[in-house]
């Protein structure tokens, strides 16, 4: 009999550094997932904090090696995009690694001030303030600068944004400027709605920044929605951006830094698909080559990694409640949660995550669809990235001597779900069909390696929904 373990081992180079199997049960970073399921039940959302630090250190190492390999003369700095996950435990873990922060909203500034009050962020930290800025956001930025956050850096997104800083900033301020990239050809519009037009960059500097003694333009910002990919589109946009940096650098000697937004992807399949060291080296070589051609110094490099920082730290585990055969060949396993409410990117963007059975690896397997609890026909998951199908162990073992399925329920895990899912689904609050938010457990390790599990939030209760809806 071919088992689910056979299927995974034959399809992938398995086990991996992150995923192993012990006694027919999946382990994630050597965590006893079934032990957590027995302790906390399902649906269960997990965050493994050590993976956040691991990702940051991996990226720093790749850039250190790339700089050494290419002889690049600029420095490298890592910034975390808070919009990927705003939770305190994420920020505190990331900040252990000597990083900087990128904000997208005026509410982010409240987080910065809270972390400063705790001694987690000092006034020397680079706070890169990105995005289109309503008045409330500009006010918070100006207040930070006036309060002595010397490296709070507004990234100018629209020409008239600078008017506010002219009127309200009292201290000297380092500024950045975001350039509006051309979108990938498949997009429904040609140029990003965010950033300054390429043709307007130098006139904006010369007319609005250059002669104000408070303002120093130090950073040019670049963002690609599709992230850093080895495609002709990416290399073409990066080259165009570096040429504009060189052009602006010739008239603005204080411009010493570029910020490469649109970060590294995470693994969405067990099989590694992305050569991170190669991409780092090629980015540095591209910048180096163009700067040599243009005769300008190589800039210092910032990157803003959000999904890459936190994505692979997350997981969510469901129970298989039942199965339904809806026609001769479409079998459904029904989960005790919802993809729309718990993993909204699977519904909105057709995002694939790593999906693996948590137990039952010694059982046979079936091709199937996974259905969520809401009444919405879009609440399903029926394709993995690598094979465009879903296979899971049988609920009812074939052997007559095996345990019946109801004696050992089947569990399925979705992994690398740590970025954006809580934000997009609305943490707490009201969910589609009033499906409750799952229990959330934080996992860390003590100095001796012992696993520490802590409940961050229990499963949402009916009473909290009734209060929100105005019934109490």
């Amino acid at each position: 009999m071919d088992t689910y373990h056979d299927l995974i081992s034959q399809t992938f180079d398995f086990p991996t550094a992150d995923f192993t199997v012990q006694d027919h049960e999946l382990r994630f970073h050597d965590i006893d997932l079934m032990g957590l399921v027995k302790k906390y039940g399902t649906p269960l959302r997990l965050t493994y904090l050590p993976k956040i630090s691991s990702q940051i250190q991996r990226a720093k190492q790749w850039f250190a090696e790339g700089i050494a390999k290419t002889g690049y003369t600029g420095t490298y700095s890592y910034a975390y995009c808070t919009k990927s996950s705003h939770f305190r435990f994420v920020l505190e873990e990331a900040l252990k690694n000597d990083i900087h922060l990128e904000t997208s909203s005026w509410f982010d500034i409240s987080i910065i001030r809270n972390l400063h009050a705790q001694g987690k962020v000092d006034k020397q930290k680079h706070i890169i303030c990105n995005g289109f800025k309503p008045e409330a956001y500009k006010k918070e930025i100006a207040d930070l600068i006036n309060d002595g956050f010397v490296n709070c850096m507004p990234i100018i997104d629209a020409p008239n944004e600078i008017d506010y800083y002219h009127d309200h900033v009292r201290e000297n301020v380092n500024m950045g400027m975001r350039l509006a990239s051309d979108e990938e050809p498949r997009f429904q519009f040609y140029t990003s709605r965010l950033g300054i037009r390429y043709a307007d960059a130098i006139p904006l500097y010369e007319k609005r920044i250059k002669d104000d003694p408070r303002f120093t333009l130090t950073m040019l910002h670049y963002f690609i929605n599709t992230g850093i990919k080895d495609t002709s589109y990416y290399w073409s946009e990066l080259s165009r951006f570096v040429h504009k940096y060189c052009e602006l650098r010739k008239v603005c000697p204080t411009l010493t830094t570029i910020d490469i937004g649109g970060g590294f992807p995470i693994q969405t399949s067990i099989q590694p698909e992305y050569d991170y060291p190669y991409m780092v080296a090629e980015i540095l070589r591209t910048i180096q080559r163009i700067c040599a051609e243009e005769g300008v110094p190589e800039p210092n490099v910032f990157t803003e990694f959000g999904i890459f920082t936190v994505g692979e730290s997350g997981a969510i585990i469901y129970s298989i409640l039942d199965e339904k055969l809806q026609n001769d060949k479409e079998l459904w396993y029904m989960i005790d949660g919802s993809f729309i409410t718990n993993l909204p990117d699977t519904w909105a963007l057709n995002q694939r995550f790593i999906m693996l059975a948590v137990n039952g690896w010694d059982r046979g397997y079936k091709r199937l669809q996974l259905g969520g609890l809401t009444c919405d026909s879009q609440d399903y998951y029926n394709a993995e990235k690598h094979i465009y199908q879903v296979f899971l162990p049988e609920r009812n073992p074939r052997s007559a001597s095996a345990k019946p399925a109801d004696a050992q329920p089947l569990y399925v895990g979705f992994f690398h779900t740590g970025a954006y899912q809580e934000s997009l689904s609305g943490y707490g609050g009201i969910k589609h069909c009033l499906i409750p938010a799952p229990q959330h457990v934080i996992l860390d390790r003590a100095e001796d390696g012992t696993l520490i599990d802590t409940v961050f939030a229990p499963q949402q209760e009916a009473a909290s929904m009734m209060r929100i809806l105005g019934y109490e």
Side-chain angles (χ1 to χ4, degrees):
M1 178 184 73
D2 289 335
T3 66
Y4 181 74
H5 199 161
D6 295 331
L7 172 70
I8 299 300
S9 299
Q10 291 163 9
T11 306
F12 306 104
D13 185 9
F14 188 86
T16 70
D18 294 349
F19 297 97
T20 57
V21 171
Q22 183 174 317
D23 298 327
H24 312 303
E25 296 173 356
L26 182 68
R27 298 179 81 90
F28 177 52
H29 299 293
D30 202 31
I31 298 166
D32 180 4
L33 297 177
M34 281 300 295
L36 292 173
V37 167
K38 290 170 184 174
K39 182 174 181 179
Y40 294 109
T42 62
L44 178 62
R45 191 183 294 279
L46 304 173
T47 300
Y48 183 58
L49 296 179
K51 186 63 177 177
I52 296 171
S53 288
S54 171
Q55 291 290 87
I56 295 170
Q57 292 304 322
R58 289 172 74 201
K60 286 188 172 187
Q61 182 64 29
W62 294 326
F63 272 91
E65 292 171 352
I67 287 171
K69 183 176 181 179
T70 61
Y72 193 84
T73 56
T75 62
Y76 171 69
S77 299
Y78 190 109
Y80 170 60
C81 306
T82 58
K83 63 180 178 285
S84 298
S85 179
H86 290 94
F87 287 112
R88 175 178 171 178
F89 52 81
V90 170
L91 269 294
E92 289 186 351
E93 181 68 26
L95 286 165
K96 295 176 182 177
N97 297 276
D98 187 27
I99 63 162
H100 305 285
L101 298 175
E102 185 253 4
T103 68
S104 305
S105 160
W106 58 99
F107 290 104
D108 283 318
I109 308 303
S110 297
I111 293 174
I112 301 298
R113 289 192 179 278
N114 183 280
L115 291 168
H116 173 68
Q118 298 175 50
K120 306 286 185 182
V121 167
D122 62 37
K123 292 188 176 182
Q124 305 301 313
K125 185 73 68 180
H126 282 82
I127 311 297
I128 301 167
C129 301
N130 237 317
F132 185 83
K133 301 175 186 68
E135 179 133 343
Y137 191 9
K138 289 182 281 194
K139 180 181 184 304
E140 292 286 355
I141 293 169
D143 288 347
L144 268 190
I145 295 167
N146 291 334
D147 288 346
F149 284 79
V150 295
N151 287 313
C152 177
M153 183 183 298
I155 305 298
I156 304 303
D157 188 80
N160 60 1
E161 178 185 334
I162 202 165
D163 295 343
Y164 190 92
Y165 308 128
H166 272 293
D167 295 340
H168 295 89
V169 169
R170 300 187 304 271
E171 306 296 327
N172 293 337
V173 55
N174 291 322
M175 286 188 165
M177 187 187 299
R178 176 170 177 166
L179 297 183
S181 300
D182 285 350
E183 299 288 6
E184 198 174 31
R186 64 187 177 88
F187 270 62
Q188 295 184 32
F189 43 88
Y190 187 72
T191 302
S192 172
R193 74 187 190 282
L194 299 170
I196 304 295
R197 295 192 310 168
Y198 269 69
D200 293 340
I202 291 178
L204 180 63
Y205 164 71
E206 292 184 329
K207 294 176 182 178
R208 306 304 312 282
I209 298 174
K210 180 179 179 180
D211 295 330
D212 191 314
R214 295 167 298 172
F215 298 162
T216 304
L217 182 65
T218 61
M219 177 181 284
L220 201 61
H221 184 278
Y222 158 81
F223 183 88
I224 292 294
N225 279 319
T226 55
I228 298 172
K229 294 183 178 180
D230 190 13
T231 63
S232 57
Y233 161 72
Y234 180 81
W235 296 119
S236 174
E237 280 301 298
L238 177 63
S239 296
R240 186 166 78 109
F241 170 78
V242 177
H243 278 293
K244 179 56 70 172
Y245 156 77
C246 292
E247 185 181 354
L248 189 51
R249 176 67 171 80
K250 291 174 183 177
V251 297
C252 177
T254 60
L255 183 63
T256 59
T257 305
I258 62 173
D259 185 349
I260 301 175
F264 281 149
I266 58 172
Q267 274 191 245
T268 54
S269 171
I270 306 173
Q271 203 67 42
E273 301 173 320
Y274 192 89
D275 190 339
Y276 297 96
Y278 161 78
M279 288 299 294
V280 169
E282 287 305 303
I283 288 170
L284 295 175
R285 285 194 186 98
T286 299
I287 300 169
Q288 195 175 45
R289 173 180 55 79
I290 295 172
C291 287
E293 292 170 358
E294 297 277 0
V296 303
E298 295 164 13
N300 300 325
V301 175
F302 271 69
T303 59
E304 297 172 4
F305 292 155
I307 293 175
F308 177 81
T309 305
V310 74
E312 294 190 12
S313 68
I316 187 164
I317 300 175
Y318 298 111
S319 298
I320 304 300
L321 297 177
D322 202 355
E323 62 182 68
K324 300 176 70 178
L325 184 63
Q326 294 300 87
N327 57 41
D328 290 342
K329 57 185 179 181
E330 287 187 342
L331 176 67
W332 288 87
Y333 276 7
M334 306 300 292
I335 65 170
D336 61 343
S338 164
F339 298 107
I340 290 176
T341 62
N342 301 149
L343 297 172
D345 274 346
T346 65
W347 164 67
L349 300 175
N350 199 32
Q351 174 68 48
R352 302 297 95 182
F353 295 106
I354 295 175
M355 187 216 71
L356 290 168
V358 176
N359 63 331
W361 283 61
D362 56 334
R363 303 181 192 178
Y365 58 88
K366 294 180 177 180
R367 177 184 173 184
L368 51 94
Q369 347 271 334
L370 286 169
L373 284 181
T374 73
C375 60
D376 197 307
S377 61
Q378 298 301 311
D379 197 358
Y380 69 90
Y381 194 91
N382 70 343
E384 294 186 76
K385 181 177 180 180
H386 51 283
I387 53 176
Y388 306 104
Q389 302 175 88
V390 166
F391 292 91
L392 281 174
E394 297 174 317
R395 291 182 67 246
N396 297 296
R398 296 178 188 175
S399 170
S401 62
K403 284 185 177 182
D406 59 0
Q408 188 185 33
L410 185 64
Y411 300 96
V412 59
F414 287 80
F415 301 91
H416 296 181
T417 62
Y420 289 110
Q421 302 315 295
E422 291 95 333
S423 299
L424 293 175
S425 65
Y427 189 76
I430 298 301
K431 304 292 192 297
H432 184 30
C433 289
L434 297 186
I435 303 298
Q439 186 165 206
H440 191 162
V441 172
I442 308 301
L443 304 174
D444 203 351
R445 293 205 182 266
E447 291 185 5
D448 64 358
T450 304
L451 187 71
I452 302 169
D453 54 283
T454 307
V455 175
F456 175 73
Q459 180 167 300
Q460 190 177 17
E461 296 180 348
S464 72
M465 296 192 210
M466 295 293 280
R467 284 192 297 272
I468 293 169
L469 291 170
Y471 291 98
E472 292 182 8

